[in-house]
Amino acid sequence: MSPMAAAMLSSHPNLMPNGTAAAATAGSTRLLLLLRSHGHPQAVRSIHRLDPSDPFPGTLGTSRVDWKASCAFLSSKAAAGPDSSSDKPLSPSGDPPAADREPDDDGKGGNHRLSAAINGVRMAAAAGALDLVPISNLPRPLTIADLSPAPMHGSRLRVAYQGVPGAYSEAAAGKAYPNCEAIPCDQFEVAFQAVELWIADRAVLPVENSLGGSIHRNYDLLLRHRLHIVGEVQMPVHHCLLALPGVRKEYLTRVMSHPQALAQCELTLTRLGLNVTREAFDDTAGAAEHVANNGLRDTAAIASARAAELYGLQVLADGIQDDSSNVTRFVMLAREPIIPRTDRPFKTSIVFAHDREGTSVLFKVLSAFAFRDISLTKIESRPHRHRPIRLVDDANVGTAKHFEYMFYVDFEASMADTRAQNALAEIQEFTSFLRVLGSYPMDMTPWGAPSSSASSSTNPPPPPPSSSAPPSS
């Protein structure tokens, strides 16, 4: 199409200056459509040859920048009005004066129609028909910043926890990430998935309590999911006995809370002289919410003081945990691990398994740490989910069944420490499975008061009930 449009223009040098036609050939598709719309559909029989004096040599093979410059030159010529090769004005119809018209080649006014078409193109260019796309409006290329999400997805970090507002896990999330957006989840599994699916940025979940021991469910989930431990936080647990306003302790027939909270307050409930039924609930704050929403005037809940404020309950007894040193350890989980360092105390959590019989492998693992003077802070065993039972032949008693175990170990060293690297390299030689769950800073804060809204966890337990109280069961 480009040679055709160029031939149309080059065959009439009086209408357009030499070289301008060549400049227009780069946009020949649009120009040819305009020519056809003015009644000149005939094919061109000649090919335009570039003139050495052409101001735009080689336009047919130039770049987009040269083409745009050529079109700008064409538009400036069209906007000038009369043809630059003639000082005579155009007629009102847009055609050249009759004296300047060349005779028709075919005797039917073909050249006259071509002249009118070309002049129409020139006027259309002056009116903006041959508009150019501004460079500023062209789409810019993607950069790495366009493909990377915002680090915090906004001004606040989103942290998932198990429970409802007022739970101890919510307080732990606030301690780990101040001013975060806490996202409650009804199950531990949901909190893991919230981080994996980018609904939350972090998760804060309990793994052990100083009185109740390990939360085995979360140890199993740590192995099932691919999240990384990036920190830990330890929270003193301060239990309160909550009930609806106006309810007295002697009216109670039932106490509900999380099973561990009930176990942690068993002795104190007995000392208070409460002849009540213990009922397990999903979490402590959920029990307080259940009592408030259902108006249960014969039921109390064991939860935090913050839960009493949120759900409009009164505190019948404060600090009812049997042991004042009741602390729960939480871990912070993220999709990516952090870079371990050696300028502050670090802790590393691993899990391993072995397919050999006997206790020699476990002894070798412990020896790898003891030889390098690395302190172990925890060791936990859990049945292997995929191989829970191992059959062992015994000629004396027949077939015995033994569990296959996974071992969780926490030790005080950073993965940036050469001692830890050498220890894991040695352990990997005689274990069938080894995975680092995370290497993260240790929580070195003292076990003080959990929050300003609750009393200190070091308060002594309440005094024994008066003689007017009913005897304990």
Side-chain angles (χ1 to χ4, degrees), residues 427-449:
I427 294 172
Q428 196 171 15
E429 294 179 0
F430 42 81
T431 55
S432 59
F433 169 78
L434 175 64
R435 174 180 163 191
V436 178
L437 298 175
S439 188
Y440 47 91
M442 296 176 58
D443 184 7
M444 305 299 292
T445 57
W447 294 354

Side-chain angles (χ1 to χ4, degrees), residues 98-446:
D100 291 342
R101 298 177 186 171
E102 295 185 3
D104 298 342
D105 293 338
D106 55 1
K108 299 181 181 180
N111 280 327
H112 172 66
R113 289 194 300 270
L114 177 61
S115 301
I118 295 176
N119 279 287
V121 171
R122 296 163 73 185
M123 297 183 67
L130 295 178
D131 55 334
L132 302 178
V133 180
I135 297 179
S136 59
N137 292 342
L138 295 177
R140 67 176 180 84
L142 291 176
T143 63
I144 191 63
D146 300 319
L147 305 178
S148 301
M152 298 301 181
H153 300 273
S155 59
R156 294 200 301 172
L157 201 69
R158 299 176 299 180
V159 181
Y161 68 94
Q162 188 275 330
V164 298
Y168 294 106
S169 295
E170 183 195 32
K175 180 181 179 181
Y177 301 102
N179 301 321
C180 69
E181 179 185 350
I183 302 177
C185 304
D186 60 349
Q187 301 177 28
F188 292 127
E189 175 82 22
V190 176
F192 276 84
Q193 293 181 358
V195 179
E196 289 180 330
L197 299 177
W198 295 76
I199 300 174
D201 303 293
R202 301 287 189 275
V204 175
L205 299 172
V207 290
E208 61 178 331
N209 178 264
S210 59
L211 299 181
S214 300
I215 292 88
H216 297 137
R217 175 61 176 166
N218 282 334
Y219 276 100
D220 294 338
L221 292 174
L222 282 172
L223 187 61
R224 180 183 303 179
H225 295 270
R226 299 299 300 181
L227 298 183
H228 301 268
I229 303 177
V230 296
E232 68 173 1
V233 59
Q234 303 183 57
M235 285 289 298
V237 177
H238 188 78
H239 291 311
C240 300
L241 186 65
L242 312 179
L244 290 172
V247 173
R248 300 173 59 179
K249 289 185 291 185
E250 52 266 26
Y251 297 157
L252 299 176
T253 62
R254 181 175 56 169
V255 173
M256 60 174 48
S257 187
H258 190 274
Q260 285 203 9
L262 293 173
Q264 294 166 8
C265 302
E266 180 64 32
L267 297 178
T268 305
L269 291 177
T270 302
R271 294 177 58 186
L272 289 174
L274 298 180
N275 186 14
V276 293
T277 302
R278 279 70 163 169
E279 183 174 325
F281 209 82
D282 293 338
D283 58 271
T284 56
E289 181 185 33
H290 180 75
V291 171
N293 291 343
N294 294 276
L296 304 178
R297 303 192 65 84
D298 63 339
T299 304
I302 297 177
S304 64
R306 171 171 165 76
E309 298 175 0
L310 291 177
Y311 304 111
L313 301 178
Q314 65 172 336
V315 179
L316 296 180
D318 192 12
I320 64 173
Q321 60 273 2
D322 297 337
D323 192 337
S324 58
S325 300
N326 186 5
V327 179
T328 299
R329 175 173 170 256
F330 297 81
V331 293
M332 298 121 74
L333 304 175
R335 288 178 293 271
E336 299 294 336
I338 62 174
I339 299 177
R341 298 157 55 181
T342 57
D343 58 346
R344 60 171 298 180
F346 258 64
K347 181 183 293 186
T348 301
S349 298
I350 65 172
V351 56
F352 66 89
H354 65 86
D355 52 5
R356 303 178 186 177
E357 301 179 11
T359 59
S360 59
V361 173
L362 181 58
F363 175 79
K364 292 178 181 179
V365 170
L366 299 180
S367 299
F369 292 110
F371 178 75
R372 294 169 176 85
D373 197 22
I374 298 177
S375 299
L376 270 63
T377 59
K378 183 178 180 61
I379 180 169
E380 178 79 20
S381 62
R382 295 289 296 155
H384 200 306
R385 292 184 57 87
H386 302 290
R387 294 183 300 171
I389 299 295
R390 175 167 54 92
L391 300 179
V392 180
D393 293 332
D394 192 327
N396 296 327
V397 296
T399 302
K401 296 182 179 180
H402 298 276
F403 281 98
E404 294 281 359
Y405 286 98
M406 308 288 294
F407 294 93
Y408 296 82
V409 173
D410 294 343
F411 59 90
E412 293 182 352
S414 170
M415 283 302 300
D417 191 342
T418 306
R419 297 179 306 154
Q421 298 174 8
N422 294 336
L424 294 187
E426 180 180 342
I427 294 172
Q428 196 171 15
E429 294 179 0
F430 42 81
T431 55
S432 59
F433 169 78
L434 175 64
R435 174 180 163 191
V436 178
L437 298 175
S439 188
Y440 47 91
M442 296 176 58
D443 184 7
M444 305 299 292
T445 57

